[in-house]
Amino acid sequence: MHFNRMFTYTVSVVTGNQVFAGTLNYIYLTLVGKERSSDRTLLDKSWFERLDRGTVVSIDIHVEETLGELLLVKLEKEKFLINDDWYCRSISVTAPAGDCFEFPCYRWIADQKELVLPEGRGRLPQDEKLSILKECRHLELENRREKFRWNEWKSGFLMSIDANKSSELPLDVQFDTAKAVDFSLNAFKAAENLGLNKLESLFQSWKDFADFEKVFITIKNTESEYVMQNWTKDAVFGYQFLNGCNPVMIKKCTKLPDKFAVTQEMVENSLDRGTTLQEELKAGNIYIADYEILEDVQPNDTDPSTQQYLAAPFCLFYKNGQNEFIPIAIQLSRQTTPGEKNTVFLPTDDEYDWLLAKMWVKSSDYNIHQLITHLLRTHLISEVFTIAMFRQLSAVHPVYKLLIPHVRFTIAINTAARETLINEGGVFGKVDSTGGIGIEQVIRKGMQTLTYKSLCFPEAMKIRNVDSKEDLPNYYYRDDGMMVWEAVKSFVSDVVKIYYSSDATVQGDEEIQAFVQDVCSYGMKNCPNNGEFPNALKTREQLVEYLTIVIFTASAQHAAINFGQFDWYAWIPNTPSTMRKPPPTEKGKVDMKYIMESLPDRGRSSLHLGTIWILSQFQDNELFLGVYPDKYFTEEPAMEAIKNFRKKLVDVTKTIRSRNETLELPYWYLCPDRIPNSVAI
């Protein structure tokens, strides 16, 4: 008697935990091996236990002959009653001989489409020897390029996703239902939650700084309370340029700009080493923040009832004998007309003259921070990297696996911002002095300064000549940033070494070359310096630096300049988002009334506070640097690299915590356990 022997493959299918991740539809699965394929099999335990969110469904697939090495899993969805979407996390298959094959998915399956998942080991395109796998890879990228199309949202901007609203985005990059973001609604809601709606009954306009405290009473935290109590001090003003929200503006000054009318006589009272200004410039103790980029930008004119103003100031800083970083001269205008002179404001001036000059610098700084440091140099550049990644890197490419946690929700948050924050009539246009046409003017000017080197953290420090701890102590943004950069770079290097045996392997990787080419030629095509961005990578070292820039920008750099906004901007006199009076041109004319009439009005203050509160919040279920719950990598060496990365980040966290215990005002923004993986707010 002859018995047919059956071989059993045990398949486990994991459905995601997101709201609506489960499905009532029919899901069919086919195993594709090197020798043959299994029959199409329905994934169906029982009527009550279909593919619900968070469930694991296991089934046995019996075959008469083994399939050979497993290559692919094919999934098909068919409508039952209603057509709903299904989020598949992963599939694992145990073969008859006991070998386990992993098929990471982490994707939505919509409509009645087929999804083919290759076996999960990271592979470069040149590693694919079988035509079925080459074809699978080719079709996947072809499909993605149709979904992820480049679009020029505004003339002269970095390119973005081709979608007018969030609902038009590919499902896999939309926010989870629980995390939909509408800035205008959320800002009003936040303002209400913070008790700011009571402003109207309190007063119509400001009389003095005590009025701001009435707003502040419901919203203070340790940092913002410190700001409220100390913001008029020169040392606290200077500290913010090192470790506040926009710690990227200062550079060492060795020669004064031609348009800056400051002289030795003006600042000699501030120089505590008994030296001249020229000697201090030579010694490297003078720094400058120059807001030239705001020159000739049209101030916000979207509200006919409120005139708003902009300035393009210079601010000179001195590292004094006590290692304090203090402002010693401020010039608010750049007159070049013969006979007209520029007024330089000094710490020795009348209290209100000097205070208003500092407020003007901080207002200018705020507008540059929001549009260039924050929007352009973290949000928009990360979107370029994200779109190029989806267009050019297959899901089995190790660099795709490396980058995917660091692009989570980036396209979604930027699309939401284009819908309600920086669009015409958006929140930004309502509250900031660069609103309206100014947004476009500033971004286009910012594009002139966007270079590849300036995104490389150590290079950025050198460009501004602020890389020396000895020359410029207490610059925690630089010190912590360097530690995080090195940890990220070491991790990236470990992963690159696993998959790339030589420089020639990098050169022969057509997907990675297409990725950097897409960034340079399409994403950055409006950038005057796009020629400085690599359009090809020749060495492993170049690849490591490139990927470190992508990950660091999306995680650490964004965290450093985003999550302190409420701390430093909630006390509105410290950083006004707009100014309603022109900058003073003479000394001795400013009083408290002039200052109050210069500051943003009640409505703008309320909306500003609501917005920065939202932007400063970590998200529910936030994923911090090095935390990768989705297992895209399945091989042991890559998982070991992730473990080593986490260990390094723990060491950095301990170093920062230990330092912070000694500080009156701790610096946390670059502590790894507070750095989200991606630009997601």
Side-chain angles (χ1 to χ4, degrees), residues 89-90 102 104-106 401 628-634 639:
R89 273 181 66 79
S90 61
E102 299 289 338
C105 183
Y106 307 106
K401 293 169 181 284
Y628 306 132
D630 292 352
K631 292 183 171 56
Y632 285 94
F633 283 108
T634 62
M639 292 193 278

Side-chain angles (χ1 to χ4, degrees), residues 237-390:
F237 176 87
Y239 174 90
Q240 294 178 66
F241 288 81
L242 297 173
N243 303 311
C245 272
N246 195 29
V248 301
M249 289 304 295
I250 51 157
K251 59 184 179 187
K252 191 172 276 187
C253 183
T254 50
K255 182 180 179 293
L256 292 167
D258 292 340
K259 291 182 183 178
F260 198 177
V262 65
T263 63
Q264 155 67 23
E265 293 70 37
M266 290 176 184
V267 297
E268 62 189 349
N269 289 334
S270 296
L271 307 177
D272 66 358
R273 292 183 181 89
T275 49
T276 66
L277 179 57
Q278 278 308 315
E279 286 168 335
E280 291 290 11
L281 284 163
K282 208 170 180 182
N285 293 321
I286 303 293
Y287 294 81
I288 192 168
D290 184 349
Y291 296 90
E292 180 185 16
I293 210 159
L294 291 175
E295 195 173 7
D296 301 323
V297 170
Q298 184 178 315
N300 191 339
D301 62 355
T302 58
D303 178 3
S305 64
T306 307
Q307 194 157 357
Q308 297 173 69
Y309 296 89
L310 271 171
F314 294 107
C315 186
L316 206 64
F317 294 92
Y318 175 51
K319 188 199 74 173
N320 68 17
Q322 289 75 54
N323 277 335
E324 289 177 321
F325 192 74
I326 55 167
I328 57 170
I330 291 169
Q331 182 179 302
L332 300 177
S333 59
R334 294 165 183 257
Q335 297 291 350
T336 50
T337 316
E340 287 194 44
K341 65 183 178 67
N342 289 307
T343 302
V344 179
F345 293 93
L346 307 164
T348 49
D349 290 343
D350 175 82
E351 175 194 1
Y352 290 144
D353 282 340
W354 180 236
L355 188 60
L356 184 58
K358 288 192 292 181
M359 290 161 86
W360 262 104
V361 171
K362 284 304 305 295
S363 185
S364 303
D365 190 72
Y366 169 86
N367 280 275
I368 292 294
H369 165 252
Q370 290 296 16
L371 290 178
I372 295 176
T373 314
H374 187 193
L375 177 62
L376 176 62
R377 298 180 72 95
T378 64
H379 278 259
L380 299 185
I381 189 70
S382 290
E383 184 175 359
V384 166
F385 292 135
T386 303
I387 296 168
M389 183 204 80
F390 278 117

Side-chain angles (χ1 to χ4, degrees), residues 4-9 36 39 61-67:
N4 274 347
R5 187 178 165 204
M6 299 296 280
F7 297 92
T8 302
Y9 289 80
R36 56 191 64 81
D39 291 336
I61 293 179
H62 306 290
V63 295
E64 291 183 4
E65 294 180 271
T66 57
L67 309 176

